[in-house]
Amino acid sequence: MTRKDLLGLYDLSAGEIETILALGLRFKAALKRGEKEHTALKGRSVVLLFYENSTRTRTSFELAAKFLGAQVVNISVATSSVQKGETLVDTGKTLDAMKNDFIVIRHAMGGAPKLLAETVKAHVINGGDGMHEHPTQALLDMLTLKEHFGQIAGLKIAVLGDIRHSRVAKSNLYGLTKLGAEVRMFGPRTLLPEGLEREGAIVCSSREEAVEGADAVMGLRIQLERQKAGNFPSLGEYQRYYGIDENVLHAAKKGALVLHPGPVNRGVELTSGVIDGAQSRIDDQVLSGLAVRMAVLSLLGGEERA
Ligand code: CP
């Protein structure tokens, strides 16, 4: 891959996505064999700059970089000079002056990774920016699907929930449609943005329509503050009309996969039976996340070896 940064899937070609997935599958197979020592990033440094909370993304980037042989630094924004008013650009320049090779950033503001990438020499990877994109989450979702089904083209994927505020939904829409999947979306009207059809989504008028015959059903995390904002009446009603339970799953293809980016609100987006059931790939998604982040780091700035 010749690009310096990974900011989103909107800008990536289908070929670039396929390259990342192919290497990610090799890393995932290696992880399953217990192989964690690689050399693609030996002598390189990776800074994790997370302005928002994270368990999966931060931990898997840290492990991915370490398994590839890099030195890793975690910046605690709460105790850094950000608290003294340092701007993102000045923080970036400071990290660049220390000759860091990669910066993985999560930020509440959409566009923050792009601003940083334009400022620094280091490779910048978007670990989630506002409501904009979460490219490595969508890549790990696609890796999970590709490993199970063999290919993405022709799959029917139902994405349910808060599409408006979900960077995961947007990155998945861009990536899945580029690889030839059908992406159906449904959620409360207040949480469905305009323009989804222009980006290739099929916007459905009911949960059942979205799920009918789907190969995979993806729930999205509902941000609890959205209820206080009046976007839906109550968590109980959200579960009843937009959540995924065993009855809803029956409308999907037999053996359809259940995906969720996590963290899950148990009993809201998905019932516990679905989360812990045979069709759930939520734990497998986490392993895919480690593998795909190894692939992204390798392809942006290391050697393409699994
Ligand atoms: N899916 C995801 O981004 O999870 P974290 O917020 O735990 O990183």
Side-chain angles (χ1 to χ4, degrees):
M1 233 160 72
T2 52
R3 62 180 61 239
K4 170 179 163 286
D5 310 297
L6 176 64
L7 303 178
L9 296 196
Y10 188 85
D11 298 324
L12 255 57
S13 67
E16 286 175 300
I17 295 172
E18 289 285 18
T19 299
I20 295 168
L21 297 183
L23 185 58
L25 283 172
R26 282 159 53 198
F27 276 125
K28 191 168 175 186
L31 286 165
K32 285 181 183 173
R33 293 193 299 269
E35 296 167 17
K36 299 178 182 173
E37 285 186 35
H38 305 268
T39 56
L41 294 192
K42 196 166 175 355
R44 305 297 188 89
S45 59
V46 178
V47 174
L48 305 179
L49 180 61
F50 276 54
Y51 290 80
E52 285 187 332
N53 296 339
S54 168
T55 298
R56 291 150 202 78
T57 312
R58 181 202 276 265
T59 308
S60 59
F61 264 117
E62 179 163 355
L63 286 175
K66 286 180 172 169
F67 290 171
L68 294 171
Q71 303 287 323
V72 183
V73 176
N74 260 291
I75 295 193
S76 168
V77 168
T79 55
S80 73
S81 291
V82 170
Q83 299 304 327
K84 299 178 191 167
E86 187 168 61
T87 66
L88 175 61
V89 167
D90 286 338
T91 300
K93 284 181 177 163
T94 303
L95 298 176
D96 233 18
M98 295 179 202
K99 305 295 179 198
N100 283 301
D101 298 296
F102 293 86
I103 303 172
V104 182
I105 178 173
R106 171 172 286 190
H107 202 286
M109 191 183 81
K114 184 168 189 291
L115 177 65
L116 184 67
E118 288 165 357
T119 307
V120 300
K121 292 194 186 73
H123 300 284
V124 173
I125 302 174
N126 181 2
D129 62 331
M131 301 189 291
H132 179 228
E133 283 224 41
H134 192 348
T136 57
Q137 175 66 47
L139 287 167
L140 77 86
D141 294 334
M142 285 190 276
L143 187 77
T144 305
L145 292 167
K146 190 174 169 75
E147 186 182 29
H148 184 84
F149 292 107
Q151 61 173 36
I152 304 285
L155 294 180
K156 295 177 172 58
I157 314 296
V159 183
L160 303 181
D162 179 1
I163 313 286
R164 178 182 295 281
H165 300 98
S166 174
R167 52 200 180 203
V168 175
K170 283 154 202 157
S171 288
N172 263 297
L173 175 57
Y174 304 142
L176 286 166
T177 52
K178 276 179 192 183
L179 295 199
E182 179 180 297
V183 180
R184 305 158 174 188
M185 294 184 143
F186 177 68
R189 283 305 317 170
T190 47
L191 298 175
L192 278 174
E194 296 298 315
L196 289 172
E197 287 99 339
R198 269 201 310 279
E199 302 297 345
I202 297 174
V203 178
C204 297
S205 50
S206 72
R207 175 180 55 182
E208 288 67 25
E209 182 191 343
V211 170
E212 179 68 37
D215 297 284
V217 182
M218 182 186 298
L220 299 172
R221 187 175 74 87
I222 192 79
Q223 295 166 28
L224 298 178
E225 62 272 23
R226 303 292 165 217
Q227 189 204 336
K228 294 194 192 92
N231 292 128
F232 58 93
S234 69
L235 292 180
E237 277 177 285
Y238 183 90
Q239 203 290 321
R240 190 162 163 205
Y241 294 108
Y242 307 102
I244 302 165
D245 60 18
E246 286 84 348
N247 284 335
V248 172
L249 264 190
H250 279 144
K253 269 194 192 145
K254 194 170 180 326
L257 301 189
V258 174
L259 304 178
H260 190 292
V264 187
N265 296 301
R266 276 185 181 259
V268 182
E269 303 104 38
L270 310 174
T271 58
S272 277
V274 169
I275 294 169
D276 302 322
Q279 289 167 258
S280 170
R281 284 295 180 281
I282 296 173
D283 291 340
D284 188 45
Q285 283 175 272
V286 176
L287 183 60
S288 295
L290 178 53
V292 94
R293 286 164 182 136
M294 290 174 78
V296 167
L297 286 164
S298 299
L299 288 164
L300 286 181
E303 295 168 39
E304 300 173 23
R305 259 204 322 252

